[in-house]
């Protein structure tokens, strides 16, 4: 009896595994078609200077608009895109689209707006990455100083020396590199010290507990100190409340991003919400 139940359970498990594998295969096929058909949208989230409330930049965040109108968040397909290599054409498209949009907005009277674009390790490690960035800047006419490429500490994993040189190379072009989700990685200070970064994005897990107490505030302060030491501007991510915003301002954080300041929205909506005041 028990044996039979066990067997049944095993079959159930095997079926579930097969289904998961099939789902993934299906998603993989859909994703590759979506890349071919260009079923993606870039949404933009404002970055605000905390002392003045001025809009200084925006982060480009990709979404998948499926044929039935459903909008799929990046967390549901970026990992698979990375695994399959589809992140290369997709990431290239996002970079080009975001740069072109930034140029349009600059032409419409917002010359100072910077655009931040997320870059996967897979893209970062492509030998053709630097020339691609240069080509896109050339094609779109965006000044390098208005482009910020967001990477995570994971680029330091496989080849820190190479990452260091690429960051250096981008800096020499005038393109800034931002370290995304800072505080969630494992890299040590000496690795960070040798990486030329222009921006440090403090992960939202440090922002969420604010105003908090001495402990929570000290962690933010340590990131601000590190930012200063690295000559990198600190951007606080995930600001959802006024209390969080006020505490970050009081602690001296220069720039913020988060739902409280504006959610990621399509370009047309971004204009209405942030550029036509
Ligand atoms: P990220 O680069 O750290 O982007 C910030 C994420 O936090 C975004 O999620 C954004 O919508 C969300 N967020 C912003 N403000 C708040 C807030 O106040 N509260 C909360 N709870 N969340 C907030 P999203 O758009 O779902 O993107 C998730 C991640 O997907 C990004 O994290 C990034 O790692 C990746 N991603 C997005 N677009 C791209 C892309 O074009 N290329 C690559 N390689 N990765 C991308
Ligand atoms: Mg980012
Ligand atoms: Mg982040
Ligand atoms: Mg991230």
């Amino acid at each position: 009896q028990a044996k039979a139940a066990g067997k049944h359970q095993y079959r159930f498990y095997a079926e579930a595994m097969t289904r998961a594998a099939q789902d993934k295969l299906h998603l993989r096929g859909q994703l590759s078609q979506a890349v071919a058909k260009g079923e993606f949208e870039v949404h933009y989230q404002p970055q605000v200077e905390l002392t003045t409330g001025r809009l200084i930049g925006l982060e480009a965040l990709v979404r998948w608009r499926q044929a039935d109108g459903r909008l799929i968040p990046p967390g549901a397909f970026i990992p698979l895109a990375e695994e399959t290599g589809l992140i290369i054409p997709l990431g290239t498209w996002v970079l080009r689209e975001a740069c072109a949009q930034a140029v349009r907005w600059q032409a419409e009277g917002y010359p100072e707006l910077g655009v931040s674009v997320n870059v996967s390790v897979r893209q970062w490690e492509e030998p053709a990455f630097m020339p691609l960035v240069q080509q896109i800047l050339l094609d779109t006419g965006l000044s390098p100083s208005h482009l910020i490429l967001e990477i995570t500490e994971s680029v330091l994993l496989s080849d820190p020396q190479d990452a260091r040189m690429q960051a250096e190379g981008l800096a020499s072009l005038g393109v800034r590199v931002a370290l995304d989700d800072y505080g969630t990685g494992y890299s040590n200070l000496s690795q960070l010290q040798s990486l030329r970064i222009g921006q440090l994005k403090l992960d939202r897990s440090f922002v969420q507990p604010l105003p908090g107490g001495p402990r929570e505030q000290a962690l933010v302060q340590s990131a601000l100190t590190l930012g200063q030491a690295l000559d990198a501007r600190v951007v606080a991510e995930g600001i959802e409340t006024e209390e969080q915003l006020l505490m970050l301002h009081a602690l001296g954080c220069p720039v913020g991003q988060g739902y409280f300041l504006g959610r990621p929205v399509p370009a047309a909506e971004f204009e209405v919400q942030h550029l036509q005041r």
Side-chain angles (χ1 to χ4, degrees):
Q1 190 75 39
K3 207 174 173 187
K7 211 169 177 181
H8 175 73
Q9 255 176 15
Y10 170 74
R11 198 178 62 226
F12 178 76
Y13 174 77
E15 276 167 8
M17 287 303 281
T18 308
R19 213 171 311 121
Q22 280 169 348
D23 283 353
K24 192 170 167 186
L25 202 66
H26 181 63
L27 182 65
R28 181 187 289 235
Q30 274 192 315
L31 188 62
S32 117
Q33 273 184 25
V35 171
K37 286 194 269 179
E39 289 184 352
F40 296 90
E41 290 178 9
V42 181
H43 288 200
Y44 298 91
Q45 186 177 32
Q47 295 177 338
V48 174
E49 192 171 63
L50 296 187
T51 47
T52 59
R54 211 163 50 99
L55 174 72
I56 59 160
L58 36 103
E59 180 173 2
L61 295 157
V62 72
R63 275 97 180 85
W64 177 5
R65 177 74 70 182
Q66 290 192 327
D68 59 7
R70 273 201 308 154
L71 201 62
I72 315 291
F77 62 88
I78 290 284
L80 189 61
E82 286 171 342
E83 203 183 301
T84 55
L86 285 166
I87 192 66
I88 303 293
L90 177 57
T92 300
W93 179 81
V94 173
L95 183 59
R96 190 176 289 278
E97 180 71 16
C99 289
Q101 185 57 259
V103 168
R104 285 195 285 274
W105 282 332
Q106 288 180 353
E108 284 164 24
Y110 299 88
E112 76 283 15
L113 281 187
V115 60
S116 297
V117 181
N118 293 285
V119 174
S120 289
V121 187
R122 201 59 195 262
Q123 290 172 273
W124 176 264
E125 288 178 349
E126 275 284 292
F129 182 67
M130 282 262 287
L132 175 74
V133 171
Q134 277 181 290
Q135 188 61 50
I136 289 177
L137 289 170
L138 209 62
D139 293 346
T140 59
L142 184 71
S143 149
S145 64
H146 289 108
L147 178 63
I148 297 118
L149 298 173
E150 298 195 357
I151 58 174
T152 58
E153 287 158 85
S154 52
V155 304
L156 291 166
L157 252 191
S158 61
D159 194 343
Q161 168 72 0
D162 199 65
R164 202 176 59 80
M165 276 169 50
Q166 183 143 291
E168 205 65 51
L170 287 164
S172 73
L173 293 179
V175 173
R176 272 167 295 167
V177 171
L179 193 63
D180 206 350
D181 307 337
Y182 173 69
T184 61
Y186 33 71
S187 47
N188 57 50
L189 288 179
S190 82
Q191 277 178 321
L192 285 186
Q193 178 212 221
S194 61
L195 189 69
R196 179 87 83 91
I197 54 166
Q199 218 181 67
L200 199 64
K201 299 195 76 178
L202 181 62
D203 191 70
R204 72 162 177 271
S205 53
F206 297 92
V207 172
Q208 214 160 22
L210 299 179
R215 234 180 120 89
E216 289 76 19
Q217 292 161 17
L219 285 174
V220 175
Q221 246 147 6
S222 79
L224 291 168
T225 305
L226 180 65
Q228 245 160 11
L230 298 178
D231 205 14
R233 185 129 83 145
V234 175
V235 178
E237 300 193 85
I239 305 174
E240 293 183 349
T241 69
E242 187 170 23
E243 290 69 34
Q244 292 165 354
L245 180 74
L246 291 174
M247 181 47 72
L248 285 161
H249 179 245
L251 292 169
C253 181
V255 183
Q257 187 181 339
Y259 294 166
F260 184 73
L261 297 163
R263 287 180 177 260
V265 287
E269 185 60 28
F270 190 88
E271 287 179 22
V272 173
Q273 285 186 17
H274 304 285
L275 300 180
Q276 293 169 356
R277 287 205 173 136

